[in-house]
Amino acid sequence: MIYTQSPLAISLFVVFVLFVLGLSFYLSRRASSADGYYAAGGNIHWATNGIAFAGDYLSAASFLGICGMIATAGYDGWMYSIGYLAGWIVALFLVAEPMKRLGKYTFTDALDSKFNSKAIQLMAAISTLLVSIFYLIPQMVGAGVLVQPLLGLPHWVGVCIVGIVVTLIVATAGMASTTYVQFFKGGMLLIMSTVLVGMVLYRGLSTTPADNNGTPYHDFKTLHADSALVLVEEGYTVVSGLDSAFGKAGFVKLAKDGKESIWSMLKSDTGYTLEETLFVTKMADGTKLFNGSPAEDGQFFPIGHIKELRINGEEVTTTGAVGPLAFLSALKDSTIVLWGKKYVKIDGSTTTIYYQKPTPGSRVLRPGLKFKVDNATGLQKFNFLSLMLALFCGTAALPHILIRYYTVPSQAAARKSTIVAIAAIGFFYVLTLFMGMGAMTNGVINIADNNMSAPLLALSFGFVMFSIISSLAFATVLGTVSGLIVAASGAIAHDLMDNFLGMKMTDRGKVLAGKISAVIIGCIAIYLGIIFEGMNVSFLVGWAFAVAASANLPAILMLLFWSKTTAPGIAASILVGLVSSLGLILVSPDMWVRYGNLPADAPVQFNSPALISIPLSFLALVIVSMITQKGAAVSGAKEAA
Amino acid sequence: MGHGPAVKLGKDDASSYKTRLGVKMFIIYTLVYAAFVGLNATNPKAMETIIFGQTAAVIWGFGLIALALVMALFYNHLCTKAEKQMNS
């Protein structure tokens, strides 16, 4: 898709970045001590911290990824919202207050509070680093996705801008600036998303999506042909017919006025009905053509429309303004055009064809379009259950979330800030359903990259709304990345250099070490954001959750609730959780594709490892703790003496 | 460097009560969440059933989000009450 850059969007973006940097430099005097840098002095108000939690948590995955997934796969995208929110219950009921009681700057402190063990310090620091880096990838990918329409710059430039700005934020003022940036961003995101949903409901539903800033919705044509593929409509010639690779995949390539197009074939009584598709051809030399033309020609149209709209049992062309429940009810009764995807390979070039799939709304508003749950094999069900487990267990194990418990003054404040977070995040996740379904039916989706669905929905209401929402989405990335970099730099400077290696540093030295670590992590994040371009950001976050849930949560829970837990048990649990989850991800079908292989050839046939790696991590902790009970008892006796 | 909290925390006699309460409420929510996930995995068509004009899936989704908030507020109410009684 081709986007037109708006001076307003660019101005808002620049103003926001300057505001954030100004705030960071202003707050930098609070970050001259280690307490100030890593925990914002531990004096943030619980309500501020709660919204900052929401700012931390509502990352590019939530805003861009979930909305994009709902826009293309309906309810299955919303399953991520439900799973993410459920994870906060684990954080509130089991983790919040003990984390505050036991730790100082990092979650390693809490794990190590009873033992002072080098093994725990090392393993927990490595885990924090790896989980943070895994979580950084989708944020950086999201940044790259955003700057293309916002500033007209390529993906890698967006990644670099975020990397540099965030590294500056963190390196100047650490957790103090990160907290206020998150608070500001979290609050604005909630307000503006509510406004956007209000506009979607006020516009209502229509079988003809509204003009997208003066550009009418593309009229997808239908042609007819007899059984020998002779077309009824004049002017078209068949380029690749039934016997070609396209024909075998259920498509036909036609030409008219020298321009080629691909059509999906539906067999009818008299021959074939042909429906217009969208297609992206990746040539052998790596160049890409969109609907047969370079991207600059603007021939790759935005999609998303309703085929038959029904309200209260009657077929209509438009609903007018509707309430939230009437909006969902009308969608449930209507037929929505979703888009399937197939690949055709010919002589080194690969054509990705997006074809229309009219689907009943009631089918869209229940699971099963993305996740294989209907007539699913055991492995497919396993994959689904494993993902839902990872989402449930991941939140309370994310290092950048856990360190926020150290910025408030008391255990009660830790609890209350979690409840504020649940209210804010839960409300936002309700909004994601309306934003996603709004994008699905308003003709705004870039089907080749659905991450931009929410900002493009805003674009359908004009450049002002688009500029605000895009700048906020960018802020979302900035905020989350800064939180992650604080967590990762704490793991290097506090857990590894200070605690594990026992390096003697002054308070200022510790802050300097944290800042240098932040710069290094920022550079790694930039590199990974560039090489993972094009993957759905929410999907990538699913992996980060799986690694966090496997490596960290078993150790946290067993430390709190099983008195026989030993230091070697905790270290073993983290190691096994990390190795098994990362190992299974690296040999999963989705990674196999990135190595240039076919997904069916991958050694394991599921993408989410949590259902194996979490039990393994628990098992490792129990076995090693049982084996090392004697040593622990002796050590405990010595301590008592 | 020590591992203690960044700020000095007061003694909390309600701590063990809050832990037990948290575990109980966690189990309740987990069972509801597990039922939701299990139903999706074993009988996804049931989620298409219309309840109050919406699909069962939408009702479940809103229900789980609302339940999380209601339980969180109730938990906070009980914890605050316990803190006042036991720490005074």
Side-chain angles (χ1 to χ4, degrees):
Chain A
M1 271 178 73
I2 297 299
Y3 306 102
T4 311
Q5 280 70 55
S6 122
L8 178 65
I10 296 169
S11 308
L12 267 175
F13 169 80
V14 172
V15 165
F16 184 81
V17 169
L18 290 177
F19 170 75
V20 166
L21 284 175
L23 185 69
S24 299
F25 284 111
Y26 171 73
L27 292 169
S28 60
R29 60 196 165 83
R30 288 198 196 178
S32 54
S33 69
D35 279 351
Y37 183 80
Y38 293 113
N43 283 312
I44 301 287
H45 189 272
W46 56 265
T48 308
N49 202 51
I51 298 296
F53 258 134
D56 251 326
Y57 197 69
L58 297 177
S59 64
S62 293
F63 189 56
L64 301 177
I66 289 179
C67 290
M69 213 180 274
I70 294 173
T72 51
Y75 191 87
D76 281 348
W78 203 43
M79 293 285 282
Y80 276 88
S81 294
I82 296 166
Y84 286 144
L85 185 79
W88 279 92
I89 286 295
V90 185
L92 174 66
F93 291 152
L94 302 182
V95 172
E97 293 199 36
M99 268 293 138
K100 175 65 195 167
R101 193 168 61 240
L102 297 175
K104 184 170 187 179
Y105 299 148
T106 64
F107 108 100
T108 306
D109 292 338
L111 279 186
D112 197 32
S113 57
K114 287 185 187 170
F115 305 108
N116 199 16
S117 150
K118 293 288 179 197
I120 291 179
Q121 288 159 12
L122 179 65
M123 290 316 304
I126 291 172
S127 166
T128 301
L129 266 177
L130 286 176
V131 171
S132 299
I133 288 172
F134 244 80
Y135 209 100
L136 273 169
I137 297 170
Q139 312 306 324
M140 301 305 274
V141 170
V145 166
L146 274 168
V147 294
Q148 284 172 295
L150 194 64
L151 305 179
L153 299 170
H155 178 93
W156 70 269
V157 178
V159 173
C160 288
I161 291 175
V162 167
I164 292 165
V165 171
V166 166
T167 306
L168 275 172
I169 293 171
V170 177
T172 47
M175 200 58 171
S177 66
T178 299
T179 297
Y180 287 105
V181 167
Q182 302 289 35
F183 173 74
F184 171 72
K185 164 223 145 174
M188 285 296 290
L189 189 64
L190 285 169
I191 293 167
M192 291 317 298
S193 299
T194 308
V195 171
L196 181 59
V197 168
M199 292 168 96
V200 168
L201 297 176
Y202 184 73
R203 174 189 278 168
L205 295 163
S206 166
T207 49
T208 313
D211 281 6
N212 207 341
N213 267 292
T215 311
Y217 187 64
H218 179 68
D219 178 23
F220 287 94
K221 292 186 177 61
T222 303
L223 304 177
H224 303 87
D226 65 16
S227 54
L229 215 56
V230 176
L231 282 123
V232 174
E233 288 80 3
E234 290 181 358
Y236 288 94
T237 53
V238 177
V239 178
S240 304
L242 296 172
D243 295 332
S244 68
F246 287 103
K248 285 169 188 160
F251 301 98
V252 59
K253 189 186 256 190
L254 305 178
K256 186 184 181 187
D257 301 330
K259 182 168 169 45
E260 291 186 341
S261 52
I262 295 175
W263 303 70
S264 63
M265 295 189 292
L266 301 167
K267 204 146 177 57
S268 66
D269 294 341
T270 54
Y272 293 100
T273 302
L274 307 182
E275 287 190 333
E276 192 177 351
T277 69
L278 292 173
F279 58 100
V280 178
T281 309
K282 190 175 182 187
M283 313 299 281
D285 62 1
T287 55
K288 277 187 179 178
L289 295 176
F290 295 83
N291 271 11
S293 305
E296 307 82 74
D297 290 1
Q299 292 299 306
F300 199 72
F301 311 107
I303 52 102
H305 66 278
I306 297 172
K307 190 173 183 183
E308 292 164 2
L309 177 59
R310 285 193 192 84
I311 189 158
N312 300 325
E314 280 184 38
E315 191 163 342
V316 294
T317 55
T318 181
T319 62
V322 286
L325 293 177
F327 178 84
L328 293 176
S329 182
L331 284 174
K332 171 209 72 187
D333 294 333
S334 304
T335 303
I336 303 166
V337 177
L338 300 182
W339 292 72
K341 181 164 75 170
K342 279 190 182 174
Y343 299 96
V344 175
K345 278 193 170 186
I346 301 172
D347 299 335
S349 73
T350 305
T351 302
T352 310
I353 304 169
Y354 301 95
Y355 60 97
Q356 299 181 48
K357 278 198 327 187
T359 310
S362 57
R363 182 78 184 76
V364 175
L365 286 170
R366 69 107 158 148
L369 290 177
K370 177 177 171 60
F371 303 128
K372 301 279 183 294
V373 287
D374 288 280
N375 305 317
T377 62
L379 202 62
Q380 287 165 334
K381 283 183 181 170
F382 172 90
N383 205 32
F384 170 73
L385 294 173
S386 192
L387 174 68
M388 295 311 289
L389 179 69
L391 300 184
F392 187 59
C393 296
T395 300
L398 291 172
H400 73 292
I401 295 297
L402 294 173
I403 58 171
R404 192 151 287 294
Y405 285 122
Y406 306 127
T407 61
V408 289
S410 67
Q411 294 165 67
R415 181 180 73 241
K416 286 176 184 171
S417 61
T418 312
I419 293 166
V420 172
I422 288 174
I425 294 166
F427 178 64
F428 180 81
Y429 281 151
V430 169
L431 298 179
T432 58
L433 181 63
F434 292 94
M435 287 191 280
M437 295 305 291
M440 180 188 274
T441 53
N442 274 278
V444 299
I445 304 168
N446 174 6
I447 193 66
D449 186 354
N450 61 38
N451 286 320
M452 273 301 285
S453 297
L456 289 174
L457 175 65
L459 181 62
S460 74
F461 292 99
F463 271 117
V464 174
M465 199 61 195
F466 171 71
S467 306
I468 295 170
I469 291 288
S470 295
S471 300
L472 263 178
F474 203 80
T476 296
V477 176
L478 287 182
T480 306
V481 172
S482 55
L484 286 163
I485 291 185
V486 170
S489 69
I492 294 178
H494 175 65
D495 298 338
L496 283 179
M497 294 171 70
D498 193 4
N499 286 343
F500 179 70
L501 297 173
M503 292 168 71
K504 300 280 178 228
M505 287 187 282
T506 61
D507 207 42
R508 275 183 178 278
K510 286 167 194 165
V511 174
L512 182 65
K515 291 180 176 182
I516 293 170
S517 307
V519 174
I520 295 167
I521 299 289
C523 294
I524 295 170
I526 289 172
Y527 172 73
L528 293 173
I530 292 169
I531 63 168
F532 276 88
E533 178 185 358
M535 287 191 83
N536 180 287
V537 293
S538 197
F539 179 79
L540 287 168
V541 163
W543 278 350
F545 269 62
V547 177
S550 309
N552 299 343
L553 194 69
I556 294 170
L557 292 184
M558 296 300 266
L559 173 77
L560 297 176
F561 296 103
W562 193 46
S563 59
K564 290 185 176 175
T565 302
T566 63
I570 288 180
S573 166
I574 297 172
L575 179 66
V576 169
L578 267 183
V579 171
S580 58
S581 58
L582 282 172
L584 287 169
I585 286 171
L586 291 175
V587 295
S588 68
D590 279 319
M591 281 306 287
W592 224 239
V593 174
R594 297 206 80 78
Y595 307 144
N597 304 317
L598 290 171
D601 295 339
V604 298
Q605 283 302 308
F606 53 86
N607 283 306
S608 187
L611 207 50
I612 291 179
S613 50
I614 293 176
L616 273 180
S617 179
F618 271 112
L619 199 63
L621 188 145
V622 171
I623 292 171
V624 175
S625 291
M626 293 307 286
I627 292 169
T628 53
Q629 280 301 301
K630 204 176 168 187
V634 171
S635 159
K638 274 183 185 169
E639 266 179 40
Chain B
M1 182 183 276
H3 297 301
V7 288
K8 196 170 163 49
L9 299 175
K11 193 167 179 289
D12 185 9
D13 292 327
S15 181
S16 60
Y17 166 80
K18 290 187 288 184
T19 303
R20 284 195 306 275
L21 179 66
V23 170
K24 282 176 195 162
M25 295 189 87
F26 166 76
I27 290 170
I28 294 169
Y29 193 86
T30 304
L31 288 175
V32 180
Y33 180 78
F36 167 71
V37 175
L39 194 57
N40 283 320
T42 55
N43 191 5
K45 281 197 176 68
M47 300 303 264
E48 211 172 321
T49 312
I50 307 302
I51 304 169
F52 304 124
Q54 307 293 338
T55 61
V58 168
I59 299 287
W60 265 99
F62 284 141
L64 275 165
I65 292 173
L67 181 66
L69 183 58
V70 169
M71 287 182 72
L73 291 171
F74 186 55
Y75 172 70
N76 184 56
H77 170 73
L78 293 179
C79 287
T80 308
K81 201 171 144 190
E83 281 164 350
K84 276 181 188 163
Q85 283 175 353
M86 296 183 194
N87 292 335
S88 56

